[in-house]
Amino acid sequence: MNTIKANPMSAVIKRLSVLFKVLALVLSLGSVSSLSHAAIEVFEFDNPRQEAQYQALIEEFRCPKCQNQNLAGSDSVISQDLKRKTYEMVMAGQSDAQIREYMYERYGDFISYKPPVRPSTWILWYFPPVILLLLIAGWLMRTKAQNKKQVSSVQSGTQAVDLDKVGSGLSDEEAQKLKALLKEHSNDDISDKK
């Protein structure tokens, strides 16, 4: 009788293969079900003005949970709740100011990309322009000081010319004329400064 003994290792491999296939199927079904939860809510509006108001507000408000993402771009649960609340307030006929005030009271100034100007937000509104003006003023003062240094060094350089060395390559007559012109020119500069 010819019997083939089954390798115990191949039986384990077959069972592991089936187990991995089942695990892969469960994981793929789980990911499909999680995608179905990210459905986009569609709101019905009575007129285009309400829809425009709603869109502007959800673009302005940021998601409290997400990092620097507005409500329009966020799919978190809290952003969906805030979108729904904004929709309800728009449909109730509330103004932008009333909706903003509700959001500020509930979530603070952080909820808005355009926080109101009040003492608690002055640093947000005034610090960047003040720093920019200080940097420009410092740069202008530094440039002005450097220009004064350069002008004074140029002026002192013209007065420090050694008149005996100026005409060393010229004839005696030409050297005398050049020295006289330089003396006259330096005397004119000194009288202009006074």
Side-chain angles (χ1 to χ4, degrees):
M1 189 163 131
N2 212 359
T3 59
I4 302 175
K5 282 189 171 180
N7 187 357
M9 193 59 131
S10 67
V12 171
I13 292 174
K14 284 182 183 180
R15 286 183 182 171
L16 284 176
S17 173
V18 170
L19 180 66
F20 284 131
K21 288 178 184 177
V22 170
L23 185 62
L25 180 64
V26 169
L27 288 175
S28 65
L29 289 175
S31 66
V32 169
S33 69
S34 69
L35 290 176
S36 66
H37 290 294
I40 298 172
E41 291 187 46
V42 178
F43 296 110
E44 300 275 333
F45 295 95
D46 295 338
N47 57 48
R49 185 196 63 76
Q50 288 178 333
E51 185 174 0
Q53 179 186 12
Y54 171 78
Q55 288 298 326
L57 287 169
I58 66 169
E59 291 285 331
E60 177 185 335
F61 294 139
R62 84 173 75 207
C63 174
K65 181 180 179 183
C66 308
Q67 286 289 332
N68 288 327
Q69 193 174 18
N70 61 14
L71 293 180
S74 175
D75 287 331
S76 69
V77 175
I78 191 163
S79 70
Q80 290 174 358
D81 290 343
L82 288 174
K83 286 186 229 179
R84 192 174 313 107
K85 184 63 178 176
T86 304
Y87 171 75
E88 291 169 0
M89 294 175 86
V90 166
M91 294 306 289
Q94 293 188 0
S95 69
D96 288 355
Q98 290 171 322
I99 297 170
R100 282 187 191 99
E101 192 59 36
Y102 171 81
M103 295 292 185
Y104 293 148
E105 286 175 10
R106 188 142 213 189
Y107 298 100
D109 293 334
F110 176 79
I111 192 74
S112 179
Y113 279 114
K114 301 174 190 173
V117 178
R118 56 177 100 171
S120 63
T121 60
W122 282 353
I123 195 164
L124 295 173
W125 288 102
Y126 301 122
F127 188 68
V130 167
I131 289 295
L132 181 65
L133 289 174
L134 289 174
L135 288 172
I136 290 172
W139 177 74
L140 288 173
M141 289 174 30
R142 184 176 176 201
T143 304
K144 189 174 181 179
Q146 286 177 348
N147 285 343
K148 280 184 180 180
K149 266 187 193 176
Q150 289 175 351
V151 167
S152 66
S153 69
V154 166
Q155 288 175 350
S156 66
T158 58
Q159 293 172 358
V161 172
D162 187 8
L163 295 179
D164 293 330
K165 294 181 181 180
V166 170
S168 61
L170 303 174
S171 67
D172 290 335
E173 184 181 323
E174 291 172 336
Q176 292 299 329
K177 286 181 183 178
L178 181 60
K179 287 178 186 177
L181 284 173
L182 288 174
K183 278 184 184 179
E184 183 181 312
H185 182 67
S186 65
N187 288 339
D188 288 345
D189 284 345
I190 292 171
S191 64
D192 287 343
K193 288 180 193 175
K194 293 178 182 179

